[in-house]
Amino acid sequence: MSQRLDGPLIALRGVTKTYGSGQAAFQALKGVDFDIAAGEFVAVMGPSGSGKSTVMNILGCLDVPSSGEYLFLGEHVENLSRDQRALLRRHYLGFVFQGFNLLARTTALENVELPLLYRGLPLAERHAKARAALDLVGLTGWEHHTPAELSGGQQQRVAIARAIVTQPTLLLADEPTGNLDSERSVEIMQLLTGLNREHGITVLMVTHEPEMAAWASRTLRFADGVVGHDTSSFMGAD
Amino acid sequence: MIWNALLLALREIRRNLMRASLTVLGIVIGVAAVITMVTLGNGATAQITAQVSSLGSNLVIVRPGQRMSPGQAAGWAPAFKEDDLAAILEAIPAVRSATGTAQRGSSVSYLAESTYTPVIGTTPSYPEVGNWALAEGRFFHDGEQRAGRSVCVLGESVRKALFSGTSPVGEKIRFRGMSCEVIGVLAPKGQSAMGQDQDDVVLMPLKAYQRRVAGRRSRQDIGSLMLSVRDGMSTEKVVKEVSALMRERRALAPNESDNFSVFDTKQIADALSSTTRILTALLGAVAAVSLLVGGIGIMNIMLVSVTERTREIGTRLAIGALESEVLLQFLVEAVALSSFGGLLGIALALIASFGLTQAMNLPFVLDVEIMLLAFAVSAGIGVLFGFVPARRAARLDPIEALRHE
Ligand SMILES: Nc1ncnc2c1ncn2[C@@H]1O[C@H](COP(=O)(O)OP(=O)(O)OP(=O)(O)O)[C@@H](O)[C@H]1O
Ligand SMILES: [Mg+2]
């Protein structure tokens, strides 16, 4: 896959997502169109059930749209197989989950090394990169602690280190501060902003809190399965 | 990738060492049982072979009555006479030497010591035919045999019972109201293939035995004949020739069955080791069932593990693990688990079979092949029973797996 620097990083065209079938069918996305350029820091907001997580799953290549097109780096993701999408995730994406999803009884270092393991990096390189990522999120000295020995904010920072250790093109964060108090939340936002500004990582973040969304350069507001409002002047040209 | 999967698997086992050990118990027992059985079976076979060859590899035995199973005669049958021996030696040139034995249990005493032992009357060729060596003294010779001299040779067990420390040669022992001069002691042979003490014996010239030990009615009888076949001659052919000769001497009609039996030591060895083989196979089958149970145990724990670790699997898939990589990880984990069981089983088997062979007085014959096989089988069980759980893990939907509680 060649990176097309001229076009948008992400382009959604008439994306719908229907869960279930027949009587029980539920349309969570009802036709979503937007573009995101490389280097943006986008907040996704909207009431509960409006389809934010659904669109994040599609953007993260974890799921495919029921109809419509999703172009990531110019690639039609909706046509890719399960394993091809896995490889896209491996090489271009980083995830930060609300529930952290760190491996239990596994040290911070080992958790952060995990994506590098799947990239097939040798041990020494894995260690070096994982340490660098942990340094970047301010966890120097905590490498050998397991999640149970870390605070919520520290766990979330380990999760962020794991998401960025591969230098992903796109970082997806679904309510990264949902479990944290406001002080920790601000730390995380500073971190994400820094990654976006200094490392050029495109960040897409779901949040319920306007204070958090304020850190982003653009806000997509979802309502009932469609994008109700987009603060950006940069709109995908159809 | 497989190396990483192995590291992950070992880490997982280390974390749940107790659970892992309990899970593989079935495999441990199965593997240990198989190896122990085979080791004991090998030991028994080796011992039988050694004992039978201690009889002499070119030995043919003739016993009265029809043979039911090795060494066992049934029904009444006429005994042999001394002229049967002479006739066999004359008619069958492949027989190098021949001897006969007649025996009767007696209480034997020396001074205050006494023991109960079979007293055997035989001929001077007995040591040669039966492959016996003398520890001290000598065997009786033809002159003593013909004269019916009252001399005897002791087995090691009898010597031990009657003479502690002192040499028995030249001493006189007493049994059945007669006294008998000890002229030699046999070198010990230990237990026979049938489990008898071959050294618990007093040997004396057949003539003297017939005159003074044998009962009135069986005075001329010889219990069994032992023939030593010349090197390079077929013992099977001798068996056939002896059968034919004995039928002729006893004037048996073609429709009458033999009232004696002829067999060579190879047949005894074969019969005994086939018994051992059947026993080994039977216990092997029991062990196989245990392995199967062990495999199901592994499948069960792997399914539990997949459910427990659903979020972990979701995380791995989200990070970019391929289906095949998750499959491999869990498969390797199952194999590592079952191989771990296999190793424990081998260790247990080594301890158990060493202890048992010592206790049962068998040689400890280590079979590396069966250990490798058992290890391979236990690893194979991991593949077989780990596949279903591993596939379940690999096919999880990452989104649902991540949401799993
Ligand atoms: N796997 C699924 N099966 C059926 N319905 C689903 C599934 N996932 C989501 N939905 C439905 O789709 C709608 C959108 O869900 P989504 O998770 O995208 O909402 P959200 O905007 O992330 O909400 P929240 O802020 O609560 O996280 C909801 O009504 C939800 O019930
Ligand atoms: Mg959500």
Side-chain angles (χ1 to χ4, degrees):
Chain A
M1 171 180 319
S2 63
Q3 192 153 339
R4 270 175 42 191
L5 293 170
D6 47 333
L9 179 63
I10 283 170
L12 291 185
R13 300 281 176 266
V15 166
T16 71
K17 181 71 192 180
T18 307
Y19 289 116
S21 58
Q23 203 75 35
F26 177 80
Q27 200 171 31
L29 294 180
K30 298 172 179 164
V32 176
D33 297 82
F34 62 79
D35 286 5
I36 290 173
E40 281 195 276
F41 184 173
V42 182
V44 177
M45 297 194 73
S48 187
S50 57
K52 304 183 297 294
S53 294
T54 304
V55 85
M56 289 295 270
N57 287 339
I58 290 172
L59 291 175
C61 304
L62 289 168
D63 208 352
V64 285
S66 301
S67 71
E69 295 178 349
Y70 167 32
L71 286 106
F72 179 74
L73 290 166
E75 190 92 15
H76 279 274
V77 177
E78 70 273 11
N79 298 333
L80 299 182
S81 71
R82 208 177 125 111
D83 275 351
Q84 284 172 319
R85 282 186 281 121
L87 290 174
L88 267 188
R89 294 197 292 274
R90 177 182 299 186
H91 291 290
Y92 298 98
L93 299 177
F95 291 90
V96 180
F97 308 98
Q98 180 176 356
F100 315 142
N101 280 323
L102 298 176
L103 302 198
R105 290 163 300 171
T106 306
T107 65
L109 193 69
E110 285 168 342
N111 263 294
V112 175
E113 271 181 33
L114 200 61
L116 302 175
L117 207 68
Y118 286 110
R119 285 194 173 191
L121 263 64
L123 183 76
E125 206 174 327
R126 288 206 306 267
H127 274 346
K129 290 202 173 187
R131 277 177 198 282
L134 282 168
D135 286 348
L136 193 65
V137 299
L139 283 178
T140 316
W142 295 89
E143 290 90 346
H144 299 292
H145 289 70
T146 62
E149 301 160 356
L150 295 170
S151 72
Q154 286 172 324
Q155 288 183 49
Q156 189 62 299
R157 281 190 278 164
V158 174
I160 292 172
R162 183 180 63 190
I164 60 163
V165 72
T166 57
Q167 297 283 339
T169 308
L170 174 64
L171 182 68
L172 296 163
D174 197 345
E175 302 191 49
T177 59
N179 284 345
L180 304 177
D181 60 42
S182 55
E183 209 172 316
R184 306 281 150 239
S185 300
V186 168
E187 278 176 24
I188 298 296
M189 293 323 295
Q190 283 168 337
L191 193 58
L192 291 181
T193 312
L195 289 168
N196 175 250
R197 298 228 176 103
E198 281 138 45
H199 295 262
I201 296 174
T202 309
V203 180
L204 217 76
M205 169 187 78
V206 174
T207 181
H208 280 286
E209 297 150 281
E211 311 92 81
M212 300 303 135
W215 290 81
S217 55
R218 171 184 170 194
T219 301
L220 286 171
R221 202 170 292 276
F222 272 70
D224 202 17
V226 293
V227 180
H229 183 68
D230 188 345
T231 61
S232 174
S233 53
F234 177 92
M235 292 286 283
D238 267 287
Chain B
M1 198 62 220
I2 197 146
W3 179 241
N4 284 333
L6 191 64
L7 284 180
L8 284 170
L10 291 179
R11 200 183 283 169
E12 205 56 41
I13 290 173
R14 205 183 55 214
R15 267 183 208 138
N16 285 310
L17 196 60
M18 185 69 182
R19 186 166 89 176
S21 305
L22 290 175
T23 302
V24 298
L25 208 58
I27 299 216
V28 173
I29 292 171
V31 166
V34 170
I35 297 176
T36 308
M37 289 316 139
V38 170
T39 310
L40 289 186
N42 284 348
T45 309
Q47 193 182 43
I48 289 163
T49 312
Q51 284 164 343
V52 169
S53 69
S54 82
L55 284 176
S57 58
N58 45 6
L59 190 69
V60 169
I61 296 170
V62 192
R63 305 190 71 168
Q66 226 169 350
R67 185 150 59 101
M68 306 299 286
S69 68
Q72 187 186 334
W76 180 86
F80 303 107
K81 305 289 174 201
E82 244 186 300
D83 53 359
D84 286 326
L85 272 181
I88 288 170
L89 274 172
E90 193 187 287
I92 306 169
V95 174
R96 186 185 51 182
S97 56
T99 187
T101 58
Q103 71 174 64
R104 197 169 184 191
S106 280
S107 169
V108 180
S109 62
Y110 172 72
L111 301 178
E113 306 293 333
S114 84
T115 181
Y116 193 84
T117 185
V119 173
I120 296 182
T122 186
T123 66
S125 48
Y126 184 85
E128 184 198 342
V129 176
N131 210 16
W132 285 94
L134 275 108
E136 59 179 302
R138 59 177 182 87
F139 209 73
F140 46 84
H141 50 67
D142 274 337
E144 286 163 326
Q145 156 74 351
R146 272 195 302 275
R149 286 281 312 278
S150 187
V151 291
C152 49
V153 174
L154 307 184
E156 175 61 18
S157 300
V158 176
R159 185 200 64 77
K160 243 189 236 157
L162 299 183
F163 301 88
S164 45
T166 59
S167 169
V169 175
E171 303 296 324
K172 288 214 157 79
I173 59 170
R174 299 190 62 82
F175 50 89
R176 294 201 176 263
M178 61 176 281
S179 80
C180 186
E181 187 193 339
V182 178
I183 57 167
V185 177
L186 295 171
K189 268 193 186 182
Q191 282 197 348
S192 78
M194 281 70 157
Q196 293 158 326
D197 180 4
Q198 299 180 90
D199 302 323
D200 189 18
V201 71
V202 172
L203 299 168
M204 63 188 298
L206 184 65
K207 272 273 157 51
Y209 173 91
Q210 287 174 335
R211 200 151 44 200
R212 307 177 70 170
V213 179
R216 193 175 292 276
R217 291 207 192 148
S218 54
R219 195 132 282 180
Q220 301 306 314
D221 291 355
I222 296 179
S224 63
L225 311 180
M226 290 191 291
L227 319 173
S228 153
V229 179
R230 280 182 210 284
D231 286 337
M233 296 294 193
S234 152
T235 53
E236 278 158 54
K237 196 158 160 260
V238 169
V239 166
K240 285 204 191 91
E241 286 172 354
V242 169
S243 289
L245 181 68
M246 288 308 296
R247 286 187 70 88
E248 193 190 307
R249 286 178 64 78
R250 289 181 169 187
L252 294 176
N255 60 348
E256 280 179 289
S257 53
D258 291 353
N259 53 11
F260 58 90
S261 52
V262 189
F263 47 91
D264 58 18
T265 43
K266 195 171 149 288
Q267 280 172 283
I268 309 178
D270 287 352
L272 285 173
S273 39
S274 86
T275 313
T276 316
R277 266 199 302 279
I278 291 168
L279 212 67
T280 308
L282 208 72
L283 294 165
V286 173
V289 171
S290 173
L291 283 178
L292 185 75
V293 171
I296 291 169
I298 293 225
M299 175 143 84
N300 181 43
I301 210 72
M302 288 308 293
L303 285 173
V304 169
S305 174
V306 167
T307 309
E308 271 179 4
R309 289 156 67 196
T310 300
R311 275 171 81 97
E312 174 194 325
I313 296 162
T315 307
R316 288 178 185 278
L317 289 169
I319 279 172
L322 299 178
E323 248 179 72
S324 57
E325 289 166 338
V326 174
L327 183 91
L328 190 70
Q329 182 194 335
F330 280 85
L331 214 49
V332 166
E333 206 170 305
V335 172
L337 203 57
S338 62
S339 310
F340 170 66
L343 285 180
L344 286 185
I346 289 173
L348 188 66
L350 286 178
I351 296 168
S353 48
F354 184 74
L356 283 171
T357 47
Q358 293 299 98
M360 292 161 77
N361 227 337
L362 290 173
F364 181 57
V365 187
L366 216 96
D367 191 340
V368 178
E369 247 169 67
I370 195 72
M371 291 201 291
L372 291 178
L373 185 72
F375 184 74
V377 165
S378 53
I381 282 173
V383 176
L384 202 67
F385 290 90
F387 185 75
V388 169
R391 200 185 49 181
R392 175 174 293 187
R395 294 215 174 147
L396 282 176
D397 175 46
I399 300 169
E400 269 162 33
L402 281 171
R403 216 184 275 144
H404 184 91
E405 270 322 308

